[in-house]
Structures are given as C-alpha cells and as structure tokens.
Amino acid sequence: MRITTQMLNKSFERAGLPIPRTSLLDYINKNTSGSILTTTLNQKNSALYNKKNYEKIKEAADNLAEQTSVFTAKDRNSIFEKIKEGGEKKELYNHIEKMVNSYNSTLDALKGSGDTMNRYYSQMMRLSAAENKEALSSIGIEVSSGGKLSIDKEKLEAADIETVEKVLGESGGFMTKTEFMADKISDNAKANVESVSSQYNARGNSY
C-alpha cells in the first residue's frame, strides 16, 4: 500500500493532533521512534493513563471516606448508639466489611501510582494499620505484612459492642486518621486530574 503525505496528515487529524508542515519524505528520513507523531501520541496516551489512574484513586478514596464517616459520626448519628438502642448488629458488621474493602481498594489504587504524595499516603496508611494492629486484631480485623485488612468473622461477632466502638469509634483514633487521609488522597487525586485535563482539549490536542 502506497502511503502519501495526505494520508499521513489524515492520521494526524483522526488522532486529534495538529497537522504539521512536514512532508512524508521528512518522516521517512527520520527515525520513527523519534518522530513528532510518535512522540506526541506517547505523551497524549501517558496523560490519559495518568488521568484515569488518578480518577481511580479519587473514587477509591471517596468511598473510603464515606465508609469511615459511619464510624466517626457522633452522638445519635453514631452507628454504635443505634446498635445500643436496639439496632441490628448485622448492619454494623456490613459496614465494617465495606470499610475493610474500601481500605484495601485504596491501597491497591495508590500502589499503581508513581506520584510522590501517593507513595507517602500509602506508607502512612500501612503505618497506621501497623500501629493499631493489636487493637484491630482484638475485634477480628487482621493486618497483613503489606498493610491490608481482613476479617475474622467469628472473632468479630464474638466481640462486644463497647470494644468494637473503642477500636473503631470516633475516640479510637484509627478511623479518624483513616478518614483524614482518605480526604487528603482524594484532594490530591482531584488536583492531578484537573492538572492533566487542563493540558488537553476535547480533541486531545495540547493547549
């Protein structure tokens, strides 16, 4: 198949890239890996990858913040007060399971990022879990060497509400710190999404 300069320019147009004033012969004489088209496409793909990655982190962090807020709520909004007033313990266990899943998902999302701040947040989350490992274990929440959480259902259901509240409640410290970090992770991810988005217009062209 014979490729013409016009066909090459069409490729730029479909890719949403500005058409350069360069002939086909110029591209042939250049190393393909160093061409304008290759370089620009790589930059665009890298930006889009980073944007999706930050969006994933933000979604995980927002979910974690939502789940931790269940345990840090005060007074009559506290899930522990609702249980003490006759609420179902099953609801509490369901929220704990959701929190653990959100916690692990956030760690996984952070692991896939090379961002310095995200590495810092990941380290702080693992450190916080390690510092509270004994307390968490007392109510059936185990901490792995990598900082992830898992649930021993029998041990969790055997723990009394007062003990669970002491560990996971607003005064316990672990949930408060986790909620704070989740908000910070979300803010950082949002800022990076906006930063990447501001570099490209709707057609993918660099501003």
Side-chain angles (χ1 to χ4, degrees), residues 32-108:
T32 304
S33 63
S35 70
I36 297 173
L37 176 62
T38 302
T39 301
T40 308
L41 284 175
N42 285 339
Q43 291 174 343
K44 177 183 175 183
N45 289 335
S46 177
L48 291 175
Y49 171 80
N50 287 334
K51 181 179 179 181
K52 290 179 180 179
N53 195 31
Y54 282 121
E55 287 173 341
K56 181 180 178 182
I57 292 172
K58 186 179 185 307
E59 181 180 1
D62 286 344
N63 193 27
L64 178 59
E66 181 181 351
Q67 295 304 323
T68 53
S69 67
V70 173
F71 301 95
T72 58
K74 300 179 180 180
D75 304 324
R76 295 188 65 83
N77 292 321
S78 168
I79 188 171
F80 299 106
E81 290 301 318
K82 293 177 182 177
I83 299 298
K84 291 174 184 178
E85 293 175 3
E88 290 288 333
K89 287 186 178 181
K90 184 177 180 180
E91 181 183 359
L92 173 63
Y93 301 144
N94 286 339
H95 279 299
I96 291 176
E97 185 175 358
K98 289 179 181 178
M99 181 277 295
V100 167
N101 290 336
S102 296
Y103 192 94
N104 293 338
S105 294
T106 302
L107 277 180
D108 284 338

Side-chain angles (χ1 to χ4, degrees), residues 8-203:
L8 190 60
N9 288 342
K10 285 290 184 181
S11 295
F12 272 88
E13 187 176 355
R14 285 195 298 271
L17 302 171
I19 298 175
R21 295 176 180 177
T22 310
S23 70
L24 178 59
L25 183 60
D26 291 328
Y27 288 111
I28 295 174
N29 290 333
K30 287 184 178 181
N31 185 313
T32 304
S33 63
S35 70
I36 297 173
L37 176 62
T38 302
T39 301
T40 308
L41 284 175
N42 285 339
Q43 291 174 343
K44 177 183 175 183
N45 289 335
S46 177
L48 291 175
Y49 171 80
N50 287 334
K51 181 179 179 181
K52 290 179 180 179
N53 195 31
Y54 282 121
E55 287 173 341
K56 181 180 178 182
I57 292 172
K58 186 179 185 307
E59 181 180 1
D62 286 344
N63 193 27
L64 178 59
E66 181 181 351
Q67 295 304 323
T68 53
S69 67
V70 173
F71 301 95
T72 58
K74 300 179 180 180
D75 304 324
R76 295 188 65 83
N77 292 321
S78 168
I79 188 171
F80 299 106
E81 290 301 318
K82 293 177 182 177
I83 299 298
K84 291 174 184 178
E85 293 175 3
E88 290 288 333
K89 287 186 178 181
K90 184 177 180 180
E91 181 183 359
L92 173 63
Y93 301 144
N94 286 339
H95 279 299
I96 291 176
E97 185 175 358
K98 289 179 181 178
M99 181 277 295
V100 167
N101 290 336
S102 296
Y103 192 94
N104 293 338
S105 294
T106 302
L107 277 180
D108 284 338
L110 291 173
K111 187 178 180 181
S113 171
D115 183 278
T116 301
M117 286 305 299
N118 286 334
R119 290 200 298 271
Y120 169 75
Y121 290 133
S122 178
Q123 181 180 356
M124 292 304 295
M125 286 181 67
R126 293 196 300 270
L127 179 61
S128 179
E131 290 175 343
N132 291 275
K133 184 174 182 177
E134 187 175 343
L136 290 168
S137 180
S138 70
I139 61 171
I141 300 178
E142 306 300 333
V143 181
S144 72
S145 57
K148 286 192 173 184
L149 308 180
S150 61
I151 299 175
D152 181 332
K153 289 188 177 182
E154 290 186 5
K155 196 172 182 180
L156 174 60
E157 293 176 2
D160 58 74
I161 295 300
E162 286 74 18
T163 302
V164 177
E165 181 179 12
K166 185 177 180 181
V167 177
L168 299 181
E170 188 268 336
S171 62
F174 178 69
M175 283 291 96
T176 302
K177 183 180 290 186
T178 300
E179 184 178 21
F180 175 79
M181 286 190 290
D183 287 335
K184 291 299 181 182
I185 293 168
S186 177
D187 289 344
N188 182 59
K190 180 182 178 181
N192 278 284
V193 167
E194 292 174 349
S195 177
V196 173
S197 298
S198 68
Q199 298 174 40
Y200 290 85
N201 62 21
R203 295 184 64 191

